């Protein structure tokens, strides 16, 4: 490990070790951990469509974004967008990008619209939401009957790294999401990072790619 570890959630670096051709294994593992944390159906495969540093919103800072087409175990198709942002207004920004991703997912068959489920996963390095949970997930729900979801094609996840760092006890032994967030944590100590690498082969693969990138002077 480098004595001073570069931030794994730097958008440029993240796209290089999680969003390039050949990175599907660690990306699929991470996505399934996020979906499993909210009792969601796991993905069988992923295809990385694009990775980009975006400034789609006027006067905004650069935001790292990754577009992914995935297939669930039941055969259904999913469009997933992973976003990294520290610029504030993450709720509104995520809804805006969800709308763009939803439009991309549209398929037309005999003049009928067949949209895919669109999931956005936001990894935020600044505290945004007032909830106490590290990982929150939102749908369109009826106000007086929260068990009723208007549609299953919309899903928005928020992962708050500030709340994760503030946890007094992180359960890397049993919580797979905690392992990934420990790896992503720029403040994690080398000994703990080494533990999660040894516990999870997909994190080990991500770390191997990450280390090769940060040791490249041109990169």
């Amino acid at each position: 490990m480098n004595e001073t570890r570069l931030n794994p959630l730097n958008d440029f670096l993240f796209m290089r070790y999680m969003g390039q051709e050949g990175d599907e294994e660690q990306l699929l593992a991470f996505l399934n951990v996020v979906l499993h944390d909210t009792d969601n159906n796991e993905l069988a495969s992923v295809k990385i469509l694009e990775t980009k540093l975006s400034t789609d919103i006027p006067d905004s800072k650069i935001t790292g974004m990754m577009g992914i087409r995935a297939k669930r175990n039941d055969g259904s198709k999913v469009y997933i967008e992973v976003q990294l942002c520290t610029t504030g207004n993450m709720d509104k920004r995520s809804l805006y990008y969800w709308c763009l991703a939803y439009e991309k997912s549209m398929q037309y068959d005999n003049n009928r619209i067949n949209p895919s489920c669109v999931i956005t996963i936001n990894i935020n390095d600044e505290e945004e939401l007032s909830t106490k949970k590290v990982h929150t997930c939102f749908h369109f729900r009826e106000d007086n009957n929260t068990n009723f979801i208007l549609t299953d094609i919309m899903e928005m996840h928020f992962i708050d790294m500030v709340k994760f760092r503030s946890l007094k006890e992180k359960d890397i032994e049993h919580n797979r999401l905690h392992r990934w967030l420990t790896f992503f944590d720029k403040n994690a100590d080398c000994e703990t990072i080494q533990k999660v690498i040894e516990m999870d082969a997909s994190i080990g693969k991500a770390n191997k790619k990450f280390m090769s990138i940060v040791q490249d002077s041109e990169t």
Side-chain angles (χ1 to χ4, degrees), residues 44-88:
S45 62
V46 294
K47 180 179 181 181
I48 301 169
L49 302 178
E50 63 176 344
T51 57
K52 63 179 180 178
L53 301 179
S54 173
T55 54
D56 290 339
I57 298 178
D59 300 323
S60 70
K61 296 180 181 179
I62 293 176
T63 302
M65 302 172 62
M66 185 189 307
I68 304 152
R69 182 178 293 121
K71 183 181 290 186
R72 286 193 167 119
N73 290 326
D74 60 7
S76 60
K77 295 180 180 178
V78 184
Y79 186 94
I80 299 175
E81 194 154 273
V82 177
Q83 303 172 30
L84 297 99
C85 186
T86 57
T87 60

Side-chain angles (χ1 to χ4, degrees), residues 2-219:
N2 292 339
E3 186 173 343
T4 301
R5 185 173 184 242
L6 295 180
N7 185 4
L9 289 181
N10 170 277
D11 41 20
F12 174 76
L13 292 177
F14 186 90
M15 300 304 169
R16 290 293 303 274
Y17 72 86
M18 292 288 280
Q20 304 294 310
E21 184 176 354
D23 296 337
E24 290 82 2
E25 179 182 337
Q26 60 263 38
L27 177 61
L28 178 62
F30 170 65
L31 295 178
N32 275 332
V33 165
V34 174
L35 296 179
H36 178 78
D37 196 49
T38 52
D39 297 322
N40 220 318
N41 293 328
E42 289 199 348
L43 307 173
S45 62
V46 294
K47 180 179 181 181
I48 301 169
L49 302 178
E50 63 176 344
T51 57
K52 63 179 180 178
L53 301 179
S54 173
T55 54
D56 290 339
I57 298 178
D59 300 323
S60 70
K61 296 180 181 179
I62 293 176
T63 302
M65 302 172 62
M66 185 189 307
I68 304 152
R69 182 178 293 121
K71 183 181 290 186
R72 286 193 167 119
N73 290 326
D74 60 7
S76 60
K77 295 180 180 178
V78 184
Y79 186 94
I80 299 175
E81 194 154 273
V82 177
Q83 303 172 30
L84 297 99
C85 186
T86 57
T87 60
N89 296 322
M90 193 62 170
D91 50 352
K92 298 176 180 64
R93 294 175 64 91
S94 182
L95 186 58
Y96 169 76
Y97 286 124
W98 181 90
C99 291
L100 295 180
Y102 180 69
E103 184 180 26
K104 292 178 185 177
S105 77
M106 289 290 190
Q107 296 180 354
Y108 297 90
D109 183 21
N110 295 327
N111 295 322
R112 296 184 62 184
I113 300 175
N114 297 312
S116 299
C117 175
V118 175
I119 300 172
T120 58
I121 298 174
N122 307 280
I123 307 174
N124 194 21
D125 221 8
E126 292 180 359
E127 193 168 19
E128 287 271 350
L129 302 180
S130 59
T131 60
K132 295 181 179 180
K133 296 178 64 177
V134 171
H135 177 201
T136 50
C137 181
F138 295 87
H139 295 81
F140 287 126
R141 296 182 183 273
E142 207 282 324
D143 284 353
N144 297 313
N145 180 9
T146 56
N147 290 324
F148 182 80
I149 298 176
L150 178 64
T151 175
D152 62 356
I153 64 173
M154 182 272 191
E155 190 171 315
M156 297 173 66
H157 295 256
F158 293 87
I159 296 174
D160 192 320
M161 291 299 298
V162 176
K163 290 186 176 71
F164 176 71
R165 293 190 190 101
S166 67
L167 289 178
K168 293 182 179 180
E169 295 185 5
K170 300 176 177 65
D171 186 12
I172 63 173
E173 293 290 333
H174 305 99
N175 190 315
R176 291 185 297 162
L177 182 61
H178 281 197
R179 293 178 205 163
W180 273 102
L181 299 188
T182 296
F183 173 70
F184 291 151
D185 184 5
K186 60 187 177 184
N187 297 331
D189 61 84
C190 294
E191 182 179 349
T192 306
I193 294 171
Q194 190 60 43
K195 284 182 180 179
V196 299
I197 290 172
E198 294 172 354
M199 295 170 68
D200 195 315
S202 58
I203 297 178
K205 185 170 183 179
N207 181 70
K208 183 177 180 180
K209 180 77 177 288
F210 173 75
M211 294 301 293
S212 69
I213 292 169
V214 300
Q215 291 172 1
D216 178 74
S217 58
E218 183 178 353
T219 302

